[in-house]
C-alpha cells in the first residue's frame, strides 16, 4: 500500500468500528508497516505449480465464466455436509430444492473439490472416534463413491504443485501429506504448538501456507518446500497494545470484560481468540484471518509473519469468501461465540473492500441465523452459506444482501457450490486460483 492508502486504512477501520458499535478499541498498523512496493513483480512459483498470470490479483482466474475444461459436464449443485446427521444434502440452485440426500461417514465437516476439479471429497473426521474417512462424489452425477479410511480429516487442502492431499488432522496437531492418486500417507508435519489446526491459505508463490490454530488463538506458518514449521504467531485484537497484553497475561481469573486503562468508558474483552478461516489479499501480501471470539478479522503480513491490523466485523466471524471480481471479501459472522451455538442468533455477513480493508456493507440474517461456511456462486450473484445451528442453507444476494433459505439436515457445515471458475483448487470449500 502507499502511505496514502495506509491512512485510508486507519480511517476506514475506525469508521467500521463506530458503525458496528464494537466495544473493543480498533487497532491498526503504522503506515510504515503497511507500505507496499509500487509494482507487483513476476512471481517465481514453486516447481510444478501453475504460473501466476496476474501478480496483483491472485483471484484473476476465478472470475465469472473462467471455467476449466475439467468441470465440463458437472451438475450445477450445492453440496451440504450435515455434521450431526452424517449425510450430504444436494441442492439444485435453480429451484432452491433439495434433490438428493445420501449418507456418508461420521461427522462430515467440509466438501472439498479436488486439485484437478474432477472429484468432490467429503471430509468425515469422526470427532472423538478413530473411523475418519473421505467420501468421493462424482460431480457429473452428484453421487458418492466408496469411502477411504483416513485419520481425522477435519479439513482437506492440496499442495500447490498438486502432488499431495493435505489432510488437516486436527485432533493430532499435524498435517498428513497423502499421495493425491492413492491417498496413501507420504509424510507428516507435526504442529505441536498449533492446538486445533484448522483452516489455511497459501502464499502467492506456493512456498508456504498459514494454518489457523483454533484452540490456541494463533496461526502457524508452514514451509511447504522445507517441510517444517517456521513459527506460530499469537493473534489479538490488541496486537499493538502492550499495556493490554500485559493485563491479559497477568495471573488470576478475570471477568469477561475489564476497564480499558487508556480509554475512558471502554472495555477490554479477556476471552482468548479462536481463529477460523484464512484468505490472502489479491496482491498476496496480507492474510485475513476470521476470529469467532474476537468478532472480527486479523490482518497478518505473510512474509514478516507479523500482525499488522484488525477489522471488527460481527459476532462470531467465521468464513471468508472473495467476490468473483476479486474486489471484495464476504465475512460470515456466525452470530455466536459458542462452539455449540443456539438457533436464530444475531448472524450476519460483513463485506470488506480489499483495496481499503474497510467494511462497506453489513447484511443481517432476517429473523436471526448462524451463517458459517460456504462459497460464492459461479456467476458471483449469490453467496451460499450453511446455517450451522438453524439446519438451513442461506442464499444471499451479493448486490442487496437479500436472503433465501433452504431446509437441510442437522448442523450443516462446510458446503461447496459446484462448479466454480478457476484452474485448480488449493482446498477447503473452493479456494480456487
Amino acid at each position: 500500500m502507499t502511505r496514502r492508502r495506509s491512512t485510508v486504512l486507519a480511517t476506514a477501520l475506525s469508521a467500521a468500528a463506530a458503525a458496528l458499535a464494537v466495544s473493543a478499541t480498533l487497532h491498526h498498523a503504522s503506515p510504515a508497516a503497511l507500505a507496499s512496493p509500487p509494482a507487483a513483480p513476476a512471481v517465481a512459483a514453486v516447481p510444478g505449480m501453475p504460473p501466476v498470470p496476474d501478480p496483483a490479483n491472485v483471484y484473476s482466474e476465478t472470475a465469472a465464466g473462467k471455467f476449466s475444461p475439467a468441470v465440463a459436464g458437472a451438475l450445477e449443485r450445492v453440496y451440504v455436509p450435515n455434521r450431526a446427521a452424517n449425510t450430504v444434502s444436494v441442492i439444485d440452485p435453480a429451484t432452491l430444492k433439495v434433490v438428493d440426500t445420501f449418507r456418508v461417514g461420521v461427522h462430515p465437516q467440509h466438501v472439498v473439490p479436488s486439485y484437478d476439479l474432477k472429484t468432490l471429497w467429503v471430509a468425515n473426521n469422526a470427532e472423538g472416534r478413530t473411523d475418519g474417512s473421505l467420501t468421493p462424489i462424482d460431480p457429473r452425477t452428484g453421487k458418492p463413491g466408496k469411502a477411504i479410511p483416513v485419520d481425522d480429516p477435519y479439513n482437506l487442502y492440496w499442495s500447490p504443485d498438486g502432488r499431495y492431499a493435505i489432510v488437516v488432522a486436527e485432533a493430532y496437531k499435524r498435517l498428513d501429506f497423502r499421495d493425491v492418486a492413492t491417498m496413501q500417507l507420504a509424510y507428516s508435519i507435526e504442529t505441536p504448538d498449533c492446538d486445533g489446526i484448522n483452516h489455511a491459505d497459501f502464499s502467492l508463490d506456493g512456498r508456504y501456507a498459514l494454518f489457523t490454530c483454533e484452540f490456541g488463538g494463533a496461526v502457524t506458518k508452514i514451509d511447504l518446500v522445507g517441510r517444517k514449521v517456521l513459527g506460530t504467531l499469537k493473534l489479538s485484537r490488541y496486537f499493538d497494545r502492550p499495556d493490554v497484553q500485559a493485563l491479559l497475561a497477568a495471573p488470576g481469573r478475570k471477568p469477561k470484560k475489564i476497564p480499558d486503562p487508556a480509554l475512558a468508558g471502554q472495555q477490554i474483552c479477556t476471552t482468548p481468540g479462536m481463529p477460523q478461516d484464512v484468505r490472502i489479499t489479491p496482491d498476496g501480501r496480507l492474510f485475513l484471518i476470521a476470529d469467532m471470539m474476537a468478532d472480527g478479522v486479523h490482518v497478518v503480513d505473510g512474509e514478516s509473519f507479523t500482525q499488522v491490523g484488525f477489522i471488527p466485523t460481527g459476532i462470531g466471524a467465521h468464513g471468508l469468501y472473495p467476490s468473483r471480481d476479486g474486489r471484495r471479501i464476504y465475512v460470515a459472522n456466525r452470530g455466536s461465540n459458542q462452539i455449540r451455538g443456539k438457533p436464530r442468533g444475531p448472524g450476519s455477513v460483513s463485506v470488506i473492500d480489499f483495496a481499503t480493508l474497510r467494511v462497506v456493507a453489513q447484511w443481517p440474517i432476517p429473523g436471526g441465523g448462524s451463517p458459517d461456511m460456504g462459497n460464492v456462486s459461479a456467476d458471483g450473484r449469490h453467496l451460499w452459506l450453511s446455517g450451522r445451528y438453524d439446519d438451513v442453507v442461506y442464499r444471499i444476494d451479493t448486490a442487496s444482501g437479500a436472503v433465501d433459505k433452504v431446509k437441510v439436515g442437522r448442523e450443516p457445515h462446510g458446503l461447496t457450490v459446484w462448479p466454480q471458475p478457476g484452474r485448480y483448487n488449493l482446498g477447503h470449500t473452493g479456494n480456487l486460483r
Side-chain angles (χ1 to χ4, degrees):
M1 298 180 190
T2 62
R3 190 173 293 272
R4 176 181 178 276
R5 179 175 161 188
S6 65
T7 303
V8 172
L9 170 63
T11 303
L13 292 179
S14 297
L20 296 173
V22 177
S23 60
T25 302
L26 174 65
H27 307 292
H28 51 80
S30 65
L34 289 177
S36 64
V43 176
V46 295
M49 174 181 154
V52 180
D54 183 359
N57 182 15
V58 69
Y59 303 112
S60 65
E61 305 311 297
T62 65
K66 287 193 171 184
F67 289 107
S68 164
V71 303
L75 298 173
E76 292 187 13
R77 296 290 186 264
V78 178
Y79 297 89
V80 186
N82 303 304
R83 179 195 170 276
N86 299 332
T87 62
V88 169
S89 298
V90 185
I91 299 172
D92 182 343
T95 63
L96 295 184
K97 301 293 185 183
V98 174
V99 295
D100 195 9
T101 300
F102 49 80
R103 295 195 66 81
V104 288
V106 179
H107 300 151
Q109 300 284 3
H110 303 93
V111 177
V112 181
S114 63
Y115 181 91
D116 64 7
L117 313 182
K118 295 180 179 180
T119 306
L120 306 176
W121 292 95
V122 186
N124 314 297
N125 78 322
E127 187 174 354
R129 300 168 47 146
T130 58
D131 52 347
S133 63
L134 295 171
T135 302
I137 299 174
D138 183 344
R140 294 168 300 178
T141 64
K143 299 298 182 181
K146 184 178 180 180
I148 299 173
V150 172
D151 286 344
D152 189 38
Y154 174 79
N155 214 336
L156 185 62
Y157 289 87
W158 313 97
S159 61
D161 61 5
R163 291 184 61 190
Y164 300 107
I166 307 174
V167 174
V168 183
E170 182 185 58
Y172 300 105
K173 298 184 183 179
R174 72 170 191 252
L175 301 173
D176 290 339
F177 289 71
R178 295 178 175 270
D179 182 273
V180 75
T182 65
M183 287 295 173
Q184 293 298 307
L185 182 65
Y187 64 95
S188 296
I189 297 178
E190 302 290 336
T191 60
D193 296 326
C194 189
D195 190 9
I197 190 165
N198 202 308
H199 300 90
D201 204 357
F202 298 74
S203 64
L204 205 60
D205 57 9
R207 290 184 298 111
Y208 65 86
L210 299 191
F211 279 81
T212 52
C213 312
E214 179 175 9
F215 305 124
V219 61
T220 197
K221 186 174 181 178
I222 306 294
D223 180 348
L224 297 171
V225 178
R227 301 181 179 181
K228 61 184 179 181
V229 175
L230 293 173
T232 300
L233 173 69
K234 283 284 188 180
L235 300 170
S236 173
R237 71 179 86 184
Y238 310 111
F239 73 97
D240 62 348
R241 295 278 308 275
D243 58 328
V244 173
Q245 293 185 47
L247 281 175
L248 296 177
R253 293 189 63 180
K254 304 174 184 66
K256 290 184 178 180
K257 302 280 187 179
I258 59 177
D260 190 322
L263 298 171
Q266 298 296 311
Q267 291 185 310
I268 294 167
C269 177
T270 64
T271 306
M274 188 174 280
Q276 304 294 318
D277 207 2
V278 190
R279 277 304 173 100
I280 197 170
T281 55
D283 62 5
R285 291 191 62 247
L286 304 174
F287 289 77
L288 305 185
I289 303 171
D291 191 318
M292 66 176 284
M293 292 299 181
D295 297 337
V297 175
H298 304 289
V299 184
V300 171
D301 183 293
E303 287 299 319
S304 66
F305 200 42
T306 55
Q307 184 169 354
V308 297
F310 178 76
I311 310 167
T313 57
I315 299 173
H318 209 82
L320 299 170
Y321 304 100
S323 60
R324 287 283 164 224
D325 60 10
R327 297 175 62 186
R328 297 181 172 188
I329 188 164
Y330 307 109
V331 185
N333 304 306
R334 202 160 70 175
S336 174
N337 301 125
Q338 304 298 317
I339 294 177
R340 298 284 180 263
K342 296 180 179 179
R344 297 181 296 280
S348 66
V349 171
S350 302
V351 184
I352 294 176
D353 179 80
F354 267 133
T356 63
L357 296 185
R358 174 184 178 181
V359 174
V360 295
Q362 193 81 2
W363 301 328
I365 302 298
S370 50
D372 192 294
M373 293 286 178
N375 221 309
V376 178
S377 63
D379 60 10
R381 294 176 58 193
H382 295 103
L383 171 66
W384 290 82
L385 296 171
S386 59
R388 184 71 176 269
Y389 303 118
D390 294 86
D391 299 341
V392 299
V393 163
Y394 309 113
R395 188 188 72 165
I396 302 170
D397 188 302
T398 55
S400 66
V403 179
D404 293 302
K405 299 179 183 180
V406 182
K407 182 71 175 176
V408 291
R410 288 182 293 132
E411 203 177 325
H413 194 191
L415 67 82
T416 197
V417 180
W418 203 249
Q420 294 180 41
R423 299 168 297 162
Y424 61 100
N425 183 38
L426 285 173
H428 196 33
T429 59
N431 187 350
L432 275 75
R433 293 190 182 176

